[in-house]
Amino acid sequence: MNGPDWLDFPSLAGLRAYEAAARLGGFSAAGRALNVTHAAVAQQVRALEREIGESLVVREGRALRLTEKGEALAAELTRAFVAIQSATETARARSDRPVAITLSPSFAANWLMPRLGRFWRTHPDIQLSLQPDHRVVDLAREGFDLGIRFGRGKWPGVEARHLAPAHYVVVATPALLGGRTALTRTELASMTWVLEPDWPEHRHWLSAQTGLDTASLKIQEFATDELALGAARQGLGLHVSSYALVEDDLRAGRLCIAFAAKGDDLAYYVVTNPGPQRPQARTFLRWLMAES
């Protein structure tokens, strides 16, 4: 019996081979992932190109470059295969794979980790796999259940839910402020700063909100934001941070706000792939939103 017209699509093996080659960057890598030879993958991709009548890849030596239509098809195929995998795992009610989460190192250390004990007290059977990374990764391609991103909630290909406000503030210890509740522009310019070098957003925000020339500031750089925040807690200088990451410090009195901008709409968002989530991922997502 013939299926309906909408099921008339190219060879599933060819689509799978092409998605793997596009995602992994070559026929050899795709062959290893699919447990076939690279020649078999190349043959399936060529057959797919003939079947749909479009060139999908351009071979440049050993490298593989996708055409414009190839890029678009690869992205949709990855999302489709992830949706199939997610639906299958939901049907199987799998509990053996941890919930995979991508998030920034600072958010993981300063917001999530202090709260995780509460999650595991109520859900001891759910395993989590935290992958701290400054990169904005493709959830579908890299196999993540969800991510926590910093910005304004507008990213293509994902669904975003507001988690926590993340407007920047300048913080310092009470001792460093010496009883002052805020610092003037002149005071901000004259004091030492403790910042991470690989976070240009901090300097951009600081320049835009205060008018300071960040190149002329006395900045002590630390390799990570966690180290820079630790230095600020020790009173070594002023630090730019998202409010959500220092909320506990402010509440406990370890740090005070030395400067805050108005009208800042930056926030942390939970992002997920469109479609159904695994039961374990749904449980963690509900807990996250309740924590916010």
Side-chain angles (χ1 to χ4, degrees), residues 41-240:
V41 174
Q43 183 178 7
Q44 289 174 330
V45 171
R46 286 194 293 269
L48 177 63
E49 289 178 319
R50 289 194 299 270
E51 192 168 357
I52 66 178
E54 291 286 349
S55 177
L56 302 174
V57 299
V58 177
R59 296 157 187 84
E60 299 176 337
R62 294 187 176 183
L64 197 69
R65 179 172 62 83
L66 305 186
T67 64
E68 184 177 349
K69 290 189 176 180
E71 285 274 9
L73 178 61
E76 291 299 328
L77 285 176
T78 297
R79 281 191 281 271
F81 283 129
V82 167
I84 292 171
Q85 178 180 340
S86 177
T88 303
E89 289 178 344
T90 298
R92 290 174 177 168
R94 284 187 56 182
S95 59
D96 57 334
R97 182 167 72 83
V99 178
I101 306 141
T102 173
L103 71 174
S104 73
S106 292
F107 191 88
N110 294 291
W111 192 94
L112 184 57
M113 291 304 296
R115 294 168 167 81
L116 271 186
R118 292 197 288 270
F119 175 76
W120 275 316
R121 279 195 292 273
T122 54
H123 303 286
D125 57 322
I126 296 181
Q127 300 180 46
L128 304 178
S129 175
L130 304 181
Q131 300 293 326
D133 198 328
H134 283 307
R135 296 179 304 128
V136 176
V137 303
D138 187 310
L139 299 184
R141 285 196 176 192
E142 302 201 24
F144 286 104
D145 292 288
L146 57 92
I148 299 174
R149 292 182 183 172
F150 174 79
R152 292 184 168 84
K154 303 295 183 182
W155 297 280
V158 295
E159 296 177 353
R161 300 171 177 83
H162 183 278
L163 177 63
H167 52 274
Y168 283 145
V169 291
V170 176
V171 294
T173 60
L176 189 63
L177 292 180
R180 292 167 292 188
T181 57
L183 297 178
T184 66
R185 182 177 180 277
T186 300
E187 290 170 329
L188 290 171
S190 65
M191 297 179 71
T192 299
W193 295 77
V194 288
L195 300 174
E196 177 192 0
D198 191 26
W199 204 318
E201 294 93 335
H202 282 172
R203 288 165 170 79
H204 176 77
W205 176 88
L206 189 58
S207 175
Q209 297 294 342
T210 67
L212 294 173
D213 177 10
T214 56
S216 66
L217 295 177
K218 182 181 178 182
I219 297 176
Q220 179 66 49
E221 292 186 336
F222 290 82
T224 68
D225 189 59
E226 292 76 29
L227 291 175
L229 181 54
R233 289 173 179 140
Q234 296 300 313
L236 300 183
L238 304 175
H239 180 63
V240 178

Side-chain angles (χ1 to χ4, degrees), residues 257-282:
I257 294 177
F259 175 83
K262 297 180 179 179
D264 196 342
D265 60 350
L266 295 170
Y268 284 98
Y269 290 83
V270 180
V271 294
T272 57
N273 291 306
Q277 299 290 313
R278 296 190 297 132
Q280 296 84 358
R282 287 200 305 270

Side-chain angles (χ1 to χ4, degrees), residues 28-45:
S28 296
R32 289 191 294 270
L34 299 177
N35 200 28
V36 298
T37 66
H38 77 277
V41 174
Q43 183 178 7
Q44 289 174 330
V45 171

